[in-house]
Amino acid sequence: DDRGFLWISTSGGGVNQFDPITKTFTHYQHEPNNVNRLSNNFVRFVHKDKKGKLWFGTKGNGIEQFDIVSEKFVYYQYKDSNPNNLTTNDNRCIYEDLKGIIWIGTDRGLKRFDPVTESFTHYQEAFNNPNSLLGDVIFDINQDQMGALWITTVKGVNKYDPGNHQFTHIQHNPSNSNSLTTNQVSSIYEDENGVLWLGTQGGGLNKFDRAN
């Protein structure tokens, strides 16, 4: 965080804050009788936004925003009665774009969170729409130097154009040895030269030449 503390998420032990000066840990865990604590000790990710607040993504209990100064939690969870909230409580990844919009990858599509209106926009696969999201189980999100979002899923890679709100798809083609080696892409990274690197499940590492 801004103070130099490290935040470590765990699969059952909650979140650990490490002070590199004193070499000590502070533990943040679920407490059944305390509403201002983690809702779940299985935390998949920690993200610090541009305002300095932390976001914890839990397995099964939604997203939690944590104010480091006040040590207060704000919970965003799936509730049938609120269409502007999450559509699932199982979240896999988080990304903040250049405009401060929070993007959340879940097992039921892509979620866009506007911190100004505190509302969600949902993107899911629509089989009758070739410009919709491809694959609802999302592994990773990244924004390239030109502003496009790249979303990796179990069905390949999505490029999202924020201008027209449409998705284009990149998938494995068995007849093309230079296509994706597999559609299960778990991570994506853009280097300083604008080259995209894709880490896959079972297909090794892919370097993507966007020119061809």
Side-chain angles (χ1 to χ4, degrees):
D1 61 23
D2 295 334
R3 302 166 298 177
F5 292 170
L6 296 177
W7 293 80
I8 303 103
S9 59
T10 72
S11 57
V15 176
N16 297 269
Q17 179 205 79
F18 178 67
D19 184 336
I21 303 299
T22 62
K23 303 292 190 298
T24 57
F25 286 92
T26 301
H27 308 294
Y28 294 85
Q29 294 180 302
H30 173 64
E31 297 177 15
N33 297 321
N34 191 337
V35 295
N36 190 45
R37 287 292 185 271
L38 278 174
S39 62
N40 190 330
N41 284 330
F42 195 129
V43 182
R44 279 181 162 150
F45 58 76
V46 177
H47 169 74
K48 181 179 75 70
D49 66 21
K50 291 180 173 62
K51 296 180 180 179
K53 293 184 178 180
L54 296 178
W55 294 76
F56 303 143
T58 71
K59 181 182 179 182
N61 283 80
I63 302 286
E64 301 171 10
Q65 185 192 75
F66 180 67
D67 189 314
I68 298 173
V69 178
S70 65
E71 293 206 340
K72 298 293 185 181
F73 286 87
V74 177
Y75 306 97
Y76 299 95
Q77 296 175 321
Y78 167 64
K79 295 180 180 178
D80 291 329
S81 59
N82 188 353
N84 290 322
N85 217 323
L86 289 170
T87 57
T88 176
N89 284 325
D90 212 357
N91 305 280
R92 296 177 175 272
C93 61
I94 189 170
Y95 186 82
E96 184 178 11
D97 69 19
L98 297 174
K99 296 182 178 180
I101 298 296
I102 302 292
W103 298 85
I104 301 165
T106 76
D107 60 353
R108 291 184 62 188
L110 178 69
K111 317 301 175 188
R112 178 188 184 274
F113 177 75
D114 187 327
V116 177
T117 61
E118 291 207 346
S119 62
F120 287 89
T121 304
H122 309 291
Y123 301 89
Q124 289 182 292
E125 185 170 12
F127 296 104
N128 59 348
N129 183 359
N131 295 316
S132 73
L133 179 71
L134 177 70
D136 283 337
V137 179
I138 295 172
F139 293 125
D140 199 13
I141 306 167
N142 208 322
Q143 187 174 37
D144 66 20
Q145 298 171 11
M146 294 175 283
L149 281 177
W150 295 80
I151 302 103
T152 68
T153 75
V154 293
K155 292 187 176 181
V157 180
N158 293 263
K159 178 183 178 182
Y160 174 74
D161 185 339
N164 59 22
H165 306 288
Q166 293 186 345
F167 296 86
T168 55
H169 312 137
I170 300 171
Q171 291 183 290
H172 170 65
N173 182 353
S175 62
N176 182 358
S177 61
N178 288 322
S179 71
L180 268 178
T181 51
T182 177
N183 285 330
Q184 297 200 38
V185 182
S186 54
S187 60
I188 186 166
Y189 173 77
E190 184 189 37
D191 67 22
E192 60 185 7
N193 297 315
V195 176
L196 290 175
W197 297 85
L198 309 174
T200 72
Q201 296 185 15
L205 180 66
N206 289 246
K207 177 183 177 182
F208 182 47
D209 186 340
R210 282 186 274 186
N212 60 25

